[in-house]
Amino acid sequence: MRITALVDNSSAAHQVAVDTDGTRRPLDVPPRTGGPGSGVNGGEFLMLALATCYCNDLYREAQRLGIVLDSVRVEASASFPGIGLAATDVRYRAWVNSPAPAADIERLLAQTDAVAEVHNTLRAGCPVVRQPN
């Protein structure tokens, strides 16, 4: 699966979309108030990526394990100490509403933590390469 994110910004427009294997979906992201750029910054999107990944993976793993989930809430946060510096203190937590026993939910949370792709990408670190146009 190849995932691409696109941002097209000018004084006249701000368009954001994601593309997964050729299926493009626009996202409603506002332009920055009072200047050029996006109204949502990269750090915010990074935390949203963590929260979204874990949420979706909880449902996937619950289905695989035969656990019913009524609802899921995930919160991700990090500190960004300055320009050009990597995030620190990256954390997330999740709340699950389910009729399943607490031990099953804990096993689900741990299993999902082990397989969450965005989390594992950050944990492993990976090169980020600027390509020429």
Side-chain angles (χ1 to χ4, degrees), residues 4-83:
T4 303
L6 306 111
V7 176
D8 189 359
N9 179 264
S10 70
S11 61
H14 182 71
Q15 297 176 338
V16 178
V18 292
D19 185 295
T20 300
D21 287 337
T23 301
R24 185 173 289 189
R25 290 173 311 281
L27 300 177
D28 187 18
V29 177
R32 181 180 290 156
T33 302
S38 178
V40 180
N41 70 46
E44 292 166 333
F45 274 124
L46 182 60
M47 293 306 100
L48 182 59
L50 283 166
T52 300
C53 177
Y54 196 73
C55 175
N56 289 349
D57 288 0
L58 276 169
Y59 284 109
R60 179 190 69 205
E61 294 303 306
Q63 183 176 22
R64 190 179 66 74
L65 296 170
I67 297 172
V68 173
L69 298 182
D70 294 329
S71 66
V72 169
R73 180 174 173 233
V74 182
E75 174 184 281
S77 65
S79 295
F80 288 83
I83 295 172

Side-chain angles (χ1 to χ4, degrees), residues 96-113:
V96 172
N97 289 323
S98 172
D104 288 352
I105 297 303
E106 185 52 42
R107 181 171 54 106
L108 170 66
L109 292 168
Q111 171 64 24
T112 304
D113 179 74

